[in-house]
Amino acid sequence: MSANNNNATPFAHWFRQCTPYIHAHRGHTFVIVFGGEALDDPDLPTLVHDIALLHGLGIRLVLVHGARPQIERRLAERGAELHYVGGVRITDDAALSCVKEAAGSARVELEALLSMGLANSPMAGVRIPVASGNFVIARPIGVLNGVDYQHTGKVRRIDREALRASLDAGAVALMPPIGYSPTGEVFNLAAADVARAAAVALAADKLIFLVEGNGVTDAEGRAASNLLASDVDALLAGDPEPPEELAQALRASADACRSGIRRVHLIPRAQDGALLQELFTRDGAGTLVSDRPFEELRPARIDDIPGIRALLEPLERAGVLVPRPREDLEEVIDRFRVTERDGTVVSCAALFCWPEAQIGELACVVVHPDYRTRGRGDRLLTHMEALARERGLTHLFVLTTQTAHWFRERGFEPAGVDALPPARQAAYNARRNSKVYVKALGEDAQPA
Ligand SMILES: CC(C)(COP(=O)(O)OP(=O)(O)OC[C@H]1O[C@@H](n2cnc3c(N)ncnc32)[C@H](O)[C@@H]1OP(=O)(O)O)[C@@H](O)C(=O)NCCC(=O)NCCS
């Protein structure tokens, strides 16, 4: 049955849309990291409710928190302050005792919120076990360029077995920005570093940074929906540099990607519900950082035509697609995007634009039969939608005879032939009786 039953209540419709994500995430491991700002926020209980929901849906969770504002506040009360060199804090004895206090109090507060089970709250009947411990083995940063960083440390390794055992027991693992050395010393760590190391040690499915501010935005202030690790490097080397906290998250994201974490998300923490939106809707709320895509989507070239023809031909014979002979393809090859693997065109799609009507036709959306049902179709669609937005289009349409549901499940709505631009209406083949589906292009979209 389609997830888009028109008679369904909006609630049922919305819940059904989430189903694939619920199934996909169950049993997966997510490492979620947030700064100490989250702990000071009066809306912390809302974030914890969302985290409890993820736990309830069978997601194995590691929470890593920062403590900078709490440490700075405690130091200020003692008339001292944190010193930074090159963005790295120096933890002296006074700062270390503030770090310990801040971490202890954050733990108690988060444990209390995760233990709540008030009948008329979103936590009704829930009591989530929390495991905290000496999961992080650390070492000092030491002396760099003559600067002694004292109790500021780096992650040396993660006690993966202990962390895994806690998750296996159904607990949420809580990790403060603190590590211990085999010599029994305590080190103040960057939360981003702890989270990266935990994600890599557990081979987590996702590493999620809840960042302060608007997250990663482009020159126009729009949220960047997808970045490659190499884009992150460029951002970090750019001018102006991102603010230090965001830079730490970005650095850790790129490192995590290169260490095999396939999906790293940067989500604006203060945006209520952004975490759920990113994880359970097609239109995410943040930025997805991944390593170089397996197959690059690129504009098609003339020498791709045999490969495209090989994809289209069987579908044309089966009546799924309108025949598009080689000569026609040559004329419109610049409208096509393809992915290729070992010289075979694995997927293709074309975009024909009517800028005056701000509408475009998405055509020839095909994934090679050997490569279907592994998300390539989704990626292709996301890419073509972004391309359409770039061209200033507000709507996309498709004409289809047999793939209606695939498009409907991706936000296309049935429409009449009169929804097409006049020139396309004139070329509409009534005998073929293709159905028209239109999608309004909202903000940037990305798969969760
Ligand atoms: C439609 C198509 C592009 C999807 O590519 P894909 O890489 O398999 O897509 P994804 O992995 O993102 O999605 C796969 C999902 O779509 C579903 N799907 C595939 N074809 C479908 C169809 N015709 N109707 C409804 N759902 C369909 C699959 O069953 C799968 O869902 P599931 O995981 O719940 O079983 C691919 O099946 C294809 O090339 N089909 C033939 C060409 C075609 O019909 N193109 C449209 C021209 S208008």
Side-chain angles (χ1 to χ4, degrees):
M1 190 181 77
S2 159
N4 286 313
N5 185 339
N6 283 337
N7 299 322
T9 61
F11 168 77
H13 175 73
W14 163 86
F15 203 12
R16 285 175 187 153
Q17 298 281 326
C18 299
T19 318
Y21 300 101
I22 295 174
H23 287 302
H25 297 329
R26 184 185 298 283
H28 281 194
T29 303
F30 295 180
V31 176
I32 302 178
V33 53
F34 44 86
E37 291 83 355
L39 299 164
D40 283 347
D41 192 325
D43 284 335
L44 177 64
T46 311
L47 174 62
V48 173
H49 294 163
D50 289 352
I51 288 169
L53 173 61
L54 301 185
H55 181 265
L57 292 172
I59 298 167
R60 293 154 62 87
L61 292 174
V62 177
L63 304 184
V64 182
H65 69 83
R68 191 184 44 78
Q70 291 79 6
I71 298 167
E72 284 178 349
R73 210 168 39 239
R74 282 180 165 79
L75 278 171
E77 281 161 16
R78 298 174 192 187
E81 60 182 45
L82 266 182
H83 297 288
Y84 293 87
V85 175
V88 181
R89 69 188 84 154
I90 298 176
T91 313
D92 58 17
D93 291 345
L96 183 65
S97 84
C98 296
V99 172
K100 291 181 194 169
E101 282 174 30
S105 121
R107 174 179 170 180
V108 172
E109 188 161 352
L110 287 167
E111 282 179 353
L113 286 170
L114 287 164
S115 307
M116 209 168 91
L118 283 183
N120 54 359
S121 82
M123 300 287 286
V126 183
R127 200 185 166 283
I128 298 174
V130 182
S132 196
N134 53 350
F135 297 129
V136 184
I137 296 101
R139 64 179 172 81
I141 287 191
V143 179
L144 281 180
N145 299 324
V147 178
D148 184 354
Y149 286 85
Q150 304 183 47
H151 305 290
T152 302
K154 274 189 189 177
V155 177
R156 184 164 157 186
R157 69 185 166 81
I158 299 286
D159 186 346
R160 183 196 334 217
E161 300 316 318
L163 198 49
R164 234 184 228 152
S166 301
L167 299 178
D168 289 347
V172 167
L174 182 61
M175 300 178 77
I178 281 186
Y180 306 91
S181 74
T183 55
E185 279 170 83
V186 179
F187 289 98
N188 177 18
L189 309 174
D193 192 25
V194 173
R196 176 202 53 78
V200 173
L202 292 170
D205 299 282
K206 287 183 191 293
L207 169 58
I208 300 169
F209 288 90
L210 297 175
V211 294
E212 298 305 309
N214 295 328
V216 188
T217 49
D218 61 17
E220 281 83 48
R222 283 168 25 124
S225 57
N226 283 282
L227 291 177
L228 294 173
S230 52
D231 298 330
V232 170
D233 295 341
L235 268 177
L236 287 166
D239 188 19
E241 284 174 29
E244 183 51 30
E245 302 266 307
L246 182 60
Q248 282 185 5
L250 285 168
R251 241 175 263 126
S253 302
D255 284 355
C257 283
R258 294 195 169 107
S259 305
I261 305 298
R262 290 192 51 213
R263 284 169 178 266
V264 182
H265 300 255
L266 294 133
I267 305 173
R269 176 192 62 82
Q271 195 179 310
D272 188 11
L275 177 62
L276 299 183
Q277 194 178 325
E278 180 76 4
L279 294 175
F280 295 101
T281 69
R282 192 166 299 283
D283 301 334
T287 302
L288 176 70
V289 184
S290 45
D291 207 355
R292 185 145 287 285
F294 191 44
E295 295 148 359
E296 194 186 0
L297 257 158
R298 60 165 174 80
R301 302 182 295 251
I302 287 288
D303 58 1
D304 292 316
I305 288 180
I308 297 175
R309 286 290 318 134
L311 271 186
L312 303 185
E313 215 158 36
L315 295 160
E316 293 171 357
R317 264 189 275 115
V320 176
L321 297 178
V322 181
R324 210 176 267 275
R326 189 191 158 97
E327 314 74 68
D328 289 10
L329 263 184
E330 278 176 16
E331 268 178 44
V332 293
I333 192 67
D334 58 329
R335 321 286 164 86
F336 274 77
R337 295 293 179 272
V338 292
T339 61
E340 169 201 350
R341 203 173 162 186
D342 301 332
T344 301
V345 174
V346 164
S347 68
C348 70
L351 175 67
F352 298 92
C353 300
W354 284 268
E356 65 289 354
Q358 294 182 301
I359 196 165
E361 176 175 5
L362 183 59
C364 301
V365 180
V366 181
V367 173
H368 189 291
D370 292 351
Y371 296 92
R372 286 184 192 156
T373 65
R374 274 169 274 170
R376 285 180 172 84
D378 262 337
R379 228 187 102 215
L380 192 60
L381 181 61
T382 304
H383 181 88
M384 299 309 281
E385 287 178 5
L387 189 66
R389 270 191 219 96
E390 240 174 74
R391 305 267 147 98
L393 306 184
T394 56
H395 289 78
L396 267 186
F397 68 85
V398 290
L399 293 167
T400 182
T401 54
Q402 290 171 40
T403 321
H405 281 207
W406 192 82
F407 288 108
R408 290 205 60 186
E409 285 164 20
R410 285 152 182 83
F412 284 80
E413 301 285 347
V417 178
D418 53 359
L420 307 179
R424 189 63 184 84
Q425 280 183 38
Y428 178 80
N429 180 346
R431 261 198 308 149
R432 195 171 153 76
N433 195 20
S434 302
K435 301 283 177 265
V436 179
Y437 292 87
V438 177
K439 180 170 180 176
L441 300 170
E443 288 299 297
D444 254 358
Q446 68 176 68

